[in-house]
Amino acid sequence: MTAEFAVALPAVLVVVALAVGTLGAASRHVRLQDAAADAARWVARGEDSDSALGLVGEAVSGASASIEYRGDLVCVIASAPAGAALTFVDLRASSCALAGGL
């Protein structure tokens, strides 16, 4: 029984570590999406674009963002690394708002 436990324990630890990393990445993605939406609304209201991009960086550490204008829409595209456990994954989020909107 000890040998089976010694073989199974590392596999269980890897699965638990990946599960925790996945939950952390999902949480980070939600924060990134919310930050992109806030920044898009900020720019659409006519506020400073640099401060809007700063909102994304403050909400999610290591995030970067860019602004695109698509007709009447202002879109913010943000990306950030998923976190320490999933360094090979890059999260992306985008959000658009009607320019001149409230």
Side-chain angles (χ1 to χ4, degrees):
M1 181 160 152
T2 304
E4 290 86 359
F5 183 72
V7 169
L9 184 62
V12 170
L13 291 177
V14 167
V15 169
V16 169
L18 285 175
V20 169
T22 301
L23 288 174
S27 170
R28 209 166 148 81
H29 189 264
V30 168
R31 285 186 285 146
L32 187 66
Q33 183 65 49
D34 287 344
D38 290 344
R41 286 191 298 268
W42 187 267
V43 174
R45 286 193 309 243
E47 301 292 337
D48 182 36
S49 60
D50 289 335
S51 62
L53 296 177
L55 289 173
V56 176
E58 290 174 13
V60 180
S61 62
S64 62
S66 63
I67 298 172
E68 291 182 3
Y69 295 91
R70 301 175 186 167
D72 289 339
L73 296 176
V74 176
C75 299
V76 173
I77 297 92
S79 64
L86 300 172
T87 57
F88 54 90
V89 177
D90 192 36
L91 303 175
R92 297 192 188 284
S94 66
S95 184
C96 297
L98 185 61
L102 298 175

Coordinates of all heavy atoms in Angstrom, one line a residue:
M1 N 0.8 -1.2 0.0 CA 0.0 0.0 0.0 C 0.9 1.3 0.0 O 0.5 2.3 -0.6 CB -0.9 0.0 1.2 CG -1.8 1.2 1.3 SD -3.2 0.9 2.3 CE -3.5 2.5 2.8
T2 N 2.0 1.3 0.6 CA 2.9 2.4 0.7 C 3.4 2.7 -0.7 O 3.5 3.9 -1.1 CB 4.0 2.1 1.6 OG1 3.5 1.8 2.9 CG2 4.9 3.3 1.7
A3 N 3.7 1.7 -1.5 CA 4.3 1.9 -2.9 C 3.2 2.5 -3.7 O 3.5 3.5 -4.5 CB 4.7 0.6 -3.4
E4 N 2.0 2.1 -3.6 CA 0.9 2.7 -4.4 C 0.7 4.2 -4.1 O 0.4 5.0 -4.9 CB -0.4 1.9 -4.3 CG -0.4 0.6 -4.9 CD 0.1 -0.5 -4.0 OE1 0.5 -0.2 -2.8 OE2 0.2 -1.7 -4.4
F5 N 0.8 4.4 -2.8 CA 0.6 5.8 -2.3 C 1.7 6.7 -2.8 O 1.5 7.8 -3.2 CB 0.6 5.8 -0.8 CG 0.3 7.2 -0.2 CD1 -0.9 7.8 -0.3 CD2 1.4 7.9 0.4 CE1 -1.1 9.1 0.2 CE2 1.2 9.2 0.9 CZ -0.1 9.8 0.8
A6 N 2.9 6.2 -2.8 CA 4.1 6.9 -3.3 C 4.0 7.2 -4.8 O 4.5 8.2 -5.2 CB 5.4 6.2 -3.0
V7 N 3.4 6.3 -5.5 CA 3.2 6.5 -7.0 C 2.1 7.5 -7.2 O 2.1 8.3 -8.1 CB 3.0 5.2 -7.7 CG1 2.6 5.4 -9.1 CG2 4.3 4.3 -7.6
A8 N 1.0 7.4 -6.5 CA -0.2 8.2 -6.7 C -0.1 9.6 -6.2 O -0.7 10.5 -6.8 CB -1.4 7.5 -6.1
L9 N 0.6 9.8 -5.1 CA 0.7 11.1 -4.5 C 1.2 12.2 -5.5 O 0.6 13.3 -5.6 CB 1.5 11.1 -3.3 CG 1.6 12.4 -2.5 CD1 0.2 12.8 -2.0 CD2 2.5 12.3 -1.3
P10 N 2.3 12.0 -6.2 CA 2.7 13.1 -7.2 C 1.7 13.4 -8.2 O 1.5 14.6 -8.6 CB 4.0 12.5 -7.8 CG 4.5 11.5 -6.8 CD 3.3 11.0 -6.2
A11 N 1.0 12.4 -8.7 CA 0.0 12.6 -9.7 C -1.2 13.4 -9.2 O -1.7 14.3 -9.8 CB -0.5 11.3 -10.3
V12 N -1.6 13.1 -7.9 CA -2.7 13.9 -7.3 C -2.2 15.3 -7.1 O -3.0 16.2 -7.3 CB -3.1 13.2 -6.0 CG1 -4.0 14.1 -5.2 CG2 -3.7 11.8 -6.2
L13 N -1.0 15.5 -6.6 CA -0.5 16.9 -6.4 C -0.5 17.7 -7.7 O -0.8 18.9 -7.7 CB 0.8 16.9 -5.8 CG 0.9 16.4 -4.3 CD1 2.3 16.3 -3.8 CD2 0.0 17.2 -3.4
V14 N -0.1 17.1 -8.8 CA -0.1 17.8 -10.1 C -1.5 18.2 -10.5 O -1.7 19.3 -11.0 CB 0.6 16.9 -11.2 CG1 0.3 17.4 -12.6 CG2 2.1 16.8 -10.9
V15 N -2.5 17.3 -10.3 CA -3.8 17.5 -10.7 C -4.4 18.7 -9.8 O -5.0 19.6 -10.3 CB -4.7 16.3 -10.6 CG1 -6.2 16.6 -10.7 CG2 -4.3 15.3 -11.6
V16 N -4.1 18.7 -8.5 CA -4.6 19.7 -7.6 C -3.9 21.1 -8.0 O -4.6 22.1 -8.1 CB -4.3 19.4 -6.2 CG1 -4.5 20.5 -5.3 CG2 -5.2 18.2 -5.7
A17 N -2.6 21.1 -8.3 CA -1.9 22.3 -8.7 C -2.5 22.9 -10.0 O -2.7 24.1 -10.1 CB -0.5 22.0 -8.9
L18 N -2.8 22.0 -11.0 CA -3.4 22.5 -12.2 C -4.8 23.0 -12.0 O -5.2 24.0 -12.6 CB -3.4 21.4 -13.3 CG -2.1 21.1 -13.9 CD1 -2.2 19.9 -14.8 CD2 -1.6 22.3 -14.7
A19 N -5.6 22.4 -11.1 CA -6.9 22.8 -10.8 C -6.9 24.2 -10.2 O -7.7 25.1 -10.5 CB -7.7 21.8 -9.9
V20 N -6.0 24.4 -9.2 CA -5.9 25.7 -8.5 C -5.4 26.7 -9.5 O -5.9 27.9 -9.6 CB -4.9 25.6 -7.3 CG1 -4.6 27.0 -6.8 CG2 -5.6 24.7 -6.2
G21 N -4.5 26.4 -10.4 CA -4.0 27.3 -11.4 C -5.1 27.7 -12.4 O -5.2 28.9 -12.8
T22 N -5.9 26.8 -12.8 CA -7.0 27.0 -13.7 C -8.1 28.0 -13.0 O -8.6 28.9 -13.7 CB -7.7 25.7 -14.1 OG1 -6.7 24.9 -14.7 CG2 -8.8 26.0 -15.1
L23 N -8.4 27.7 -11.8 CA -9.3 28.6 -11.1 C -8.8 30.0 -11.0 O -9.5 31.0 -11.1 CB -9.7 28.1 -9.7 CG -10.6 26.8 -9.7 CD1 -10.7 26.3 -8.3 CD2 -11.9 27.2 -10.3
G24 N -7.5 30.2 -10.7 CA -6.8 31.5 -10.6 C -6.8 32.2 -12.0 O -7.1 33.4 -12.1
A25 N -6.6 31.4 -13.1 CA -6.6 32.0 -14.4 C -8.0 32.4 -14.8 O -8.2 33.5 -15.4 CB -6.1 31.0 -15.4
A26 N -9.0 31.7 -14.4 CA -10.4 32.1 -14.7 C -10.8 33.4 -13.9 O -11.4 34.3 -14.5 CB -11.4 31.0 -14.3
S27 N -10.4 33.5 -12.7 CA -10.6 34.7 -11.9 C -9.9 35.9 -12.6 O -10.5 37.0 -12.7 CB -10.1 34.5 -10.5 OG -10.1 35.7 -9.8
R28 N -8.7 35.7 -13.0 CA -7.9 36.7 -13.6 C -8.5 37.2 -14.9 O -8.5 38.3 -15.3 CB -6.5 36.2 -13.9 CG -5.4 37.2 -13.8 CD -4.1 36.5 -13.7 NE -3.1 37.2 -14.4 CZ -2.4 38.2 -13.9 NH1 -2.7 38.6 -12.7 NH2 -1.5 38.9 -14.6
H29 N -9.1 36.2 -15.7 CA -9.7 36.5 -16.9 C -11.0 37.4 -16.7 O -11.3 38.3 -17.5 CB -10.1 35.2 -17.7 CG -10.6 35.5 -19.1 ND1 -11.9 35.6 -19.4 CD2 -9.9 35.8 -20.2 CE1 -12.0 35.9 -20.7 NE2 -10.8 36.0 -21.2
V30 N -11.7 37.1 -15.7 CA -12.9 37.9 -15.4 C -12.5 39.3 -15.0 O -13.1 40.3 -15.5 CB -13.7 37.2 -14.2 CG1 -14.8 38.2 -13.7 CG2 -14.4 35.9 -14.7
R31 N -11.5 39.5 -14.2 CA -11.0 40.8 -13.9 C -10.5 41.5 -15.1 O -10.7 42.7 -15.3 CB -9.9 40.7 -12.8 CG -10.4 40.4 -11.5 CD -9.3 40.5 -10.4 NE -8.5 39.3 -10.6 CZ -7.2 39.2 -10.4 NH1 -6.5 40.3 -10.0 NH2 -6.6 38.1 -10.5
L32 N -9.8 40.8 -16.0 CA -9.3 41.4 -17.3 C -10.5 41.9 -18.2 O -10.5 43.0 -18.7 CB -8.4 40.4 -18.0 CG -7.7 40.9 -19.3 CD1 -6.7 42.0 -18.9 CD2 -7.0 39.8 -20.0
Q33 N -11.5 41.1 -18.3 CA -12.7 41.4 -19.1 C -13.4 42.6 -18.5 O -13.8 43.5 -19.2 CB -13.7 40.2 -19.2 CG -14.9 40.5 -20.0 CD -14.5 40.7 -21.5 OE1 -13.8 39.9 -22.1 NE2 -15.0 41.8 -22.1
D34 N -13.6 42.7 -17.2 CA -14.2 43.8 -16.5 C -13.4 45.1 -16.7 O -13.9 46.2 -17.0 CB -14.4 43.6 -15.0 CG -15.5 42.6 -14.7 OD1 -16.3 42.3 -15.6 OD2 -15.5 42.1 -13.6
A35 N -12.1 45.0 -16.6 CA -11.2 46.1 -16.8 C -11.2 46.6 -18.3 O -11.3 47.8 -18.5 CB -9.7 45.8 -16.4
A36 N -11.3 45.7 -19.2 CA -11.4 46.1 -20.6 C -12.8 46.8 -20.9 O -12.8 47.9 -21.6 CB -11.3 44.9 -21.5
A37 N -13.8 46.4 -20.3 CA -15.1 47.0 -20.4 C -15.1 48.4 -19.8 O -15.6 49.4 -20.4 CB -16.2 46.2 -19.8
D38 N -14.5 48.5 -18.6 CA -14.4 49.8 -17.9 C -13.6 50.8 -18.8 O -14.0 52.0 -18.9 CB -13.8 49.7 -16.6 CG -14.8 49.0 -15.6 OD1 -16.0 48.9 -15.9 OD2 -14.3 48.5 -14.5
A39 N -12.5 50.3 -19.3 CA -11.6 51.2 -20.1 C -12.3 51.6 -21.4 O -12.2 52.8 -21.8 CB -10.3 50.5 -20.4
A40 N -13.1 50.7 -22.0 CA -13.8 51.1 -23.3 C -14.8 52.2 -23.0 O -15.0 53.1 -23.7 CB -14.4 49.8 -23.9
R41 N -15.6 52.0 -21.9 CA -16.6 53.0 -21.5 C -15.9 54.3 -21.2 O -16.4 55.4 -21.5 CB -17.4 52.5 -20.4 CG -18.4 51.5 -20.8 CD -19.4 51.2 -19.6 NE -18.8 50.7 -18.4 CZ -18.6 49.4 -18.2 NH1 -19.0 48.5 -19.0 NH2 -18.1 49.0 -17.1
W42 N -14.7 54.3 -20.5 CA -14.0 55.5 -20.1 C -13.6 56.3 -21.4 O -13.8 57.5 -21.4 CB -12.8 55.0 -19.3 CG -12.0 56.1 -18.7 CD1 -10.9 56.7 -19.3 CD2 -12.1 56.7 -17.4 NE1 -10.4 57.7 -18.4 CE2 -11.1 57.7 -17.3 CE3 -13.1 56.5 -16.4 CZ2 -11.0 58.4 -16.1 CZ3 -13.0 57.3 -15.3 CH2 -12.0 58.2 -15.1
V43 N -13.0 55.6 -22.4 CA -12.6 56.2 -23.6 C -13.8 56.7 -24.4 O -13.8 57.8 -25.0 CB -11.7 55.3 -24.5 CG1 -11.3 55.9 -25.8 CG2 -10.4 55.0 -23.7
A44 N -14.8 55.9 -24.4 CA -16.0 56.3 -25.2 C -16.7 57.6 -24.7 O -17.3 58.4 -25.4 CB -17.1 55.2 -25.2
R45 N -16.5 57.8 -23.4 CA -17.1 59.1 -22.8 C -16.2 60.3 -23.1 O -16.5 61.4 -22.7 CB -17.2 58.9 -21.3 CG -18.3 58.0 -20.8 CD -18.6 58.2 -19.4 NE -17.4 58.0 -18.6 CZ -17.2 57.0 -17.7 NH1 -18.2 56.2 -17.5 NH2 -16.1 56.9 -17.0
G46 N -15.0 60.1 -23.7 CA -14.1 61.2 -24.0 C -13.0 61.4 -23.0 O -12.3 62.4 -23.1
E47 N -12.8 60.5 -22.1 CA -11.8 60.7 -21.1 C -10.4 60.3 -21.8 O -10.3 59.8 -22.9 CB -12.0 59.7 -19.9 CG -13.3 60.0 -19.2 CD -13.4 61.3 -18.5 OE1 -12.3 61.9 -18.1 OE2 -14.5 61.8 -18.2
D48 N -9.3 60.6 -21.0 CA -8.0 60.4 -21.5 C -7.7 58.9 -21.8 O -8.0 58.1 -20.9 CB -7.0 60.9 -20.5 CG -5.6 60.8 -20.9 OD1 -5.3 60.9 -22.1 OD2 -4.7 60.5 -20.1
S49 N -7.2 58.6 -22.9 CA -7.0 57.2 -23.3 C -5.8 56.5 -22.5 O -5.9 55.4 -22.2 CB -6.7 57.0 -24.8 OG -5.6 57.7 -25.1
D50 N -4.8 57.3 -22.1 CA -3.7 56.8 -21.3 C -4.2 56.4 -19.9 O -3.8 55.3 -19.4 CB -2.6 57.8 -21.2 CG -1.8 58.0 -22.5 OD1 -1.9 57.1 -23.3 OD2 -1.3 59.1 -22.7
S51 N -5.1 57.2 -19.3 CA -5.6 56.8 -18.0 C -6.5 55.6 -18.1 O -6.6 54.7 -17.2 CB -6.3 57.9 -17.3 OG -7.4 58.4 -18.1
A52 N -7.2 55.4 -19.2 CA -8.1 54.3 -19.4 C -7.3 53.0 -19.5 O -7.6 52.0 -19.0 CB -8.9 54.4 -20.7
L53 N -6.1 53.1 -20.3 CA -5.3 51.9 -20.4 C -4.6 51.6 -19.0 O -4.3 50.5 -18.7 CB -4.2 52.2 -21.4 CG -4.7 52.3 -22.9 CD1 -3.6 52.6 -23.8 CD2 -5.5 51.1 -23.3
G54 N -4.4 52.7 -18.2 CA -3.9 52.5 -16.9 C -4.8 51.7 -16.0 O -4.4 51.0 -15.1
L55 N -6.1 51.9 -16.2 CA -7.1 51.2 -15.5 C -6.9 49.7 -15.6 O -7.1 48.9 -14.7 CB -8.5 51.5 -15.9 CG -9.1 52.9 -15.6 CD1 -10.4 53.1 -16.3 CD2 -9.2 53.0 -14.1
V56 N -6.6 49.2 -16.8 CA -6.4 47.8 -17.1 C -5.2 47.3 -16.4 O -5.2 46.3 -15.7 CB -6.3 47.6 -18.6 CG1 -6.0 46.1 -18.9 CG2 -7.6 48.0 -19.3
G57 N -4.1 48.1 -16.4 CA -2.9 47.7 -15.7 C -3.1 47.6 -14.2 O -2.5 46.8 -13.5
E58 N -3.9 48.5 -13.6 CA -4.2 48.5 -12.2 C -5.0 47.3 -11.8 O -4.9 46.8 -10.7 CB -4.8 49.8 -11.8 CG -3.9 51.0 -11.8 CD -4.7 52.3 -11.5 OE1 -5.8 52.2 -11.1 OE2 -4.1 53.4 -11.8
A59 N -6.0 47.0 -12.6 CA -6.9 45.9 -12.3 C -6.2 44.5 -12.4 O -6.5 43.7 -11.5 CB -8.1 45.9 -13.2
V60 N -5.4 44.3 -13.3 CA -4.7 43.0 -13.5 C -3.2 43.3 -13.7 O -2.8 43.9 -14.7 CB -5.2 42.3 -14.7 CG1 -4.5 41.0 -14.9 CG2 -6.7 42.1 -14.6
S61 N -2.4 42.8 -12.8 CA -1.0 43.1 -12.9 C -0.4 42.4 -14.1 O -0.7 41.3 -14.4 CB -0.3 42.6 -11.6 OG -0.4 41.2 -11.5
G62 N 0.5 43.1 -14.8 CA 1.1 42.6 -16.0 C 0.3 42.6 -17.2 O 0.7 42.2 -18.3
A63 N -0.8 43.3 -17.1 CA -1.7 43.4 -18.3 C -1.3 44.5 -19.2 O -0.7 45.5 -18.8 CB -3.2 43.6 -17.9
S64 N -1.6 44.4 -20.5 CA -1.4 45.4 -21.5 C -2.6 45.6 -22.3 O -3.4 44.6 -22.4 CB -0.2 45.1 -22.4 OG -0.4 43.9 -23.1
A65 N -2.8 46.8 -22.8 CA -4.1 47.0 -23.6 C -3.8 47.9 -24.7 O -2.8 48.7 -24.7 CB -5.2 47.5 -22.6
S66 N -4.7 47.9 -25.7 CA -4.7 48.8 -26.8 C -6.1 49.2 -27.1 O -7.1 48.6 -26.8 CB -4.0 48.2 -28.0 OG -4.8 47.1 -28.5
I67 N -6.2 50.4 -27.8 CA -7.5 50.9 -28.2 C -7.6 50.9 -29.7 O -6.7 51.2 -30.4 CB -7.6 52.4 -27.7 CG1 -7.5 52.4 -26.2 CG2 -9.0 53.0 -28.1 CD1 -7.5 53.8 -25.6
E68 N -8.8 50.4 -30.2 CA -9.1 50.4 -31.6 C -10.4 51.2 -31.8 O -11.3 51.1 -31.0 CB -9.3 49.0 -32.1 CG -8.0 48.2 -32.2 CD -8.2 46.8 -32.8 OE1 -9.4 46.5 -33.2 OE2 -7.3 46.1 -32.8
Y69 N -10.5 51.9 -32.9 CA -11.8 52.6 -33.2 C -12.4 51.9 -34.4 O -11.7 51.8 -35.5 CB -11.5 54.1 -33.5 CG -11.0 54.8 -32.3 CD1 -9.6 54.9 -32.1 CD2 -11.8 55.4 -31.5 CE1 -9.1 55.6 -31.0 CE2 -11.4 56.1 -30.3 CZ -10.0 56.2 -30.1 OH -9.6 56.8 -29.0
R70 N -13.6 51.4 -34.3 CA -14.3 50.7 -35.3 C -15.6 51.4 -35.6 O -16.7 51.1 -35.0 CB -14.6 49.3 -34.9 CG -13.3 48.5 -34.5 CD -13.7 47.1 -34.0 NE -12.5 46.4 -33.5 CZ -12.5 45.3 -32.8 NH1 -13.7 44.8 -32.4 NH2 -11.4 44.7 -32.4
G71 N -15.6 52.4 -36.5 CA -16.8 53.2 -36.8 C -17.2 54.0 -35.5 O -16.4 54.8 -35.1
D72 N -18.4 53.8 -35.0 CA -18.8 54.5 -33.9 C -18.4 53.8 -32.6 O -18.8 54.3 -31.5 CB -20.4 54.6 -33.9 CG -20.9 55.5 -35.0 OD1 -20.1 56.4 -35.4 OD2 -22.0 55.4 -35.4
L73 N -17.7 52.7 -32.6 CA -17.3 52.0 -31.4 C -15.9 52.2 -31.1 O -15.0 52.4 -31.9 CB -17.5 50.5 -31.7 CG -18.9 50.0 -31.9 CD1 -18.9 48.5 -32.2 CD2 -19.8 50.3 -30.7
V74 N -15.7 52.2 -29.8 CA -14.3 52.3 -29.2 C -14.1 50.9 -28.5 O -14.9 50.6 -27.7 CB -14.2 53.4 -28.1 CG1 -12.8 53.4 -27.5 CG2 -14.5 54.8 -28.8
C75 N -13.1 50.2 -29.0 CA -12.8 48.9 -28.4 C -11.5 48.9 -27.7 O -10.5 49.5 -28.2 CB -12.8 47.9 -29.6 SG -14.4 47.8 -30.4
V76 N -11.4 48.2 -26.6 CA -10.2 48.0 -25.9 C -9.9 46.5 -25.9 O -10.7 45.7 -25.5 CB -10.3 48.5 -24.4 CG1 -9.1 48.1 -23.6 CG2 -10.6 50.0 -24.4
I77 N -8.7 46.2 -26.3 CA -8.2 44.8 -26.4 C -7.1 44.7 -25.3 O -6.1 45.4 -25.4 CB -7.7 44.4 -27.8 CG1 -8.8 44.5 -28.8 CG2 -7.1 43.0 -27.8 CD1 -9.0 45.8 -29.5
A78 N -7.3 43.8 -24.4 CA -6.4 43.6 -23.3 C -5.9 42.2 -23.2 O -6.5 41.2 -23.6 CB -7.1 43.9 -21.9
S79 N -4.6 42.0 -22.8 CA -4.0 40.7 -22.6 C -3.2 40.7 -21.4 O -2.7 41.8 -21.0 CB -3.2 40.3 -23.8 OG -2.1 41.2 -24.0
A80 N -3.0 39.5 -20.8 CA -2.2 39.4 -19.6 C -1.8 37.9 -19.5 O -2.5 37.0 -19.9 CB -3.0 39.8 -18.3
P81 N -0.7 37.6 -18.8 CA -0.4 36.2 -18.5 C -1.4 35.6 -17.5 O -1.9 36.3 -16.7 CB 1.0 36.3 -17.9 CG 1.2 37.7 -17.5 CD 0.3 38.6 -18.3
A82 N -1.6 34.3 -17.6 CA -2.6 33.7 -16.8 C -2.2 33.6 -15.3 O -3.0 33.6 -14.5 CB -2.9 32.3 -17.3
G83 N -0.9 33.6 -15.1 CA -0.5 33.5 -13.7 C 0.7 32.6 -13.5 O 1.2 32.0 -14.5
A84 N 1.1 32.4 -12.3 CA 2.3 31.7 -12.0 C 2.2 30.2 -12.4 O 3.2 29.6 -12.8 CB 2.7 31.8 -10.5
A85 N 1.1 29.6 -12.1 CA 0.9 28.2 -12.4 C 0.8 27.9 -13.8 O 1.1 26.8 -14.3 CB -0.3 27.6 -11.6
L86 N 0.3 28.8 -14.6 CA 0.0 28.6 -16.0 C 0.7 29.6 -16.9 O 0.1 30.4 -17.6 CB -1.5 28.6 -16.3 CG -2.3 27.5 -15.6 CD1 -3.8 27.8 -15.9 CD2 -1.9 26.1 -16.1
T87 N 2.1 29.7 -16.8 CA 2.8 30.7 -17.4 C 2.8 30.6 -19.0 O 3.0 31.6 -19.6 CB 4.3 30.7 -17.0 OG1 4.8 29.4 -17.3 CG2 4.4 31.0 -15.5
F88 N 2.4 29.5 -19.5 CA 2.4 29.3 -20.9 C 1.1 29.7 -21.5 O 0.9 29.7 -22.7 CB 2.6 27.8 -21.3 CG 1.7 26.9 -20.5 CD1 0.5 26.5 -21.1 CD2 2.1 26.4 -19.3 CE1 -0.3 25.6 -20.4 CE2 1.2 25.5 -18.6 CZ 0.0 25.1 -19.2
V89 N 0.1 30.2 -20.7 CA -1.2 30.6 -21.2 C -1.3 32.2 -21.2 O -0.9 32.8 -20.2 CB -2.3 30.0 -20.3 CG1 -3.7 30.5 -20.8 CG2 -2.3 28.5 -20.4
D90 N -1.8 32.8 -22.3 CA -1.9 34.2 -22.4 C -3.4 34.5 -22.4 O -4.1 34.0 -23.3 CB -1.2 34.8 -23.6 CG -1.1 36.3 -23.6 OD1 -1.0 36.8 -22.5 OD2 -1.2 36.9 -24.7
L91 N -4.0 35.3 -21.5 CA -5.4 35.6 -21.5 C -5.6 36.8 -22.4 O -4.8 37.8 -22.4 CB -5.8 35.9 -20.1 CG -5.6 34.8 -19.0 CD1 -5.9 35.3 -17.6 CD2 -6.4 33.6 -19.4
R92 N -6.8 36.8 -23.1 CA -7.1 38.0 -23.9 C -8.6 38.3 -23.6 O -9.4 37.4 -23.5 CB -6.9 37.7 -25.4 CG -5.5 37.4 -25.7 CD -5.3 37.4 -27.3 NE -4.0 37.0 -27.6 CZ -2.9 37.7 -27.6 NH1 -3.0 38.9 -27.1 NH2 -1.8 37.2 -28.0
A93 N -8.9 39.6 -23.7 CA -10.3 40.1 -23.5 C -10.4 41.3 -24.3 O -9.5 42.1 -24.5 CB -10.6 40.4 -22.0
S94 N -11.6 41.5 -24.8 CA -11.9 42.8 -25.5 C -13.3 43.2 -25.2 O -14.2 42.4 -24.9 CB -11.8 42.5 -27.0 OG -12.8 41.6 -27.5
S95 N -13.5 44.5 -25.3 CA -14.8 45.1 -25.0 C -15.0 46.4 -25.8 O -14.0 47.1 -26.1 CB -15.0 45.4 -23.5 OG -16.3 45.9 -23.3
C96 N -16.2 46.6 -26.3 CA -16.4 47.8 -27.1 C -17.6 48.7 -26.5 O -18.4 48.1 -25.8 CB -16.9 47.4 -28.5 SG -15.6 46.6 -29.4
A97 N -17.5 49.9 -26.7 CA -18.5 50.9 -26.2 C -18.8 51.9 -27.3 O -18.0 52.2 -28.1 CB -18.1 51.6 -24.9
L98 N -20.0 52.4 -27.3 CA -20.4 53.4 -28.3 C -19.8 54.7 -28.0 O -19.9 55.2 -26.9 CB -22.0 53.5 -28.3 CG -22.6 54.4 -29.4 CD1 -22.2 53.9 -30.8 CD2 -24.1 54.5 -29.2
A99 N -19.1 55.2 -29.0 CA -18.3 56.5 -28.8 C -19.3 57.6 -28.5 O -20.4 57.7 -29.1 CB -17.5 56.8 -30.0
G100 N -19.0 58.5 -27.5 CA -19.9 59.6 -27.1 C -21.0 59.1 -26.3 O -21.9 59.9 -25.9
G101 N -21.0 57.9 -25.9 CA -22.1 57.4 -25.0 C -21.9 57.8 -23.6 O -20.9 58.3 -23.2
L102 N -23.0 57.5 -22.8 CA -22.9 57.9 -21.4 C -22.6 56.7 -20.5 O -22.9 55.6 -20.7 CB -24.2 58.5 -20.9 CG -24.6 59.8 -21.7 CD1 -26.0 60.2 -21.3 CD2 -23.6 60.8 -21.4

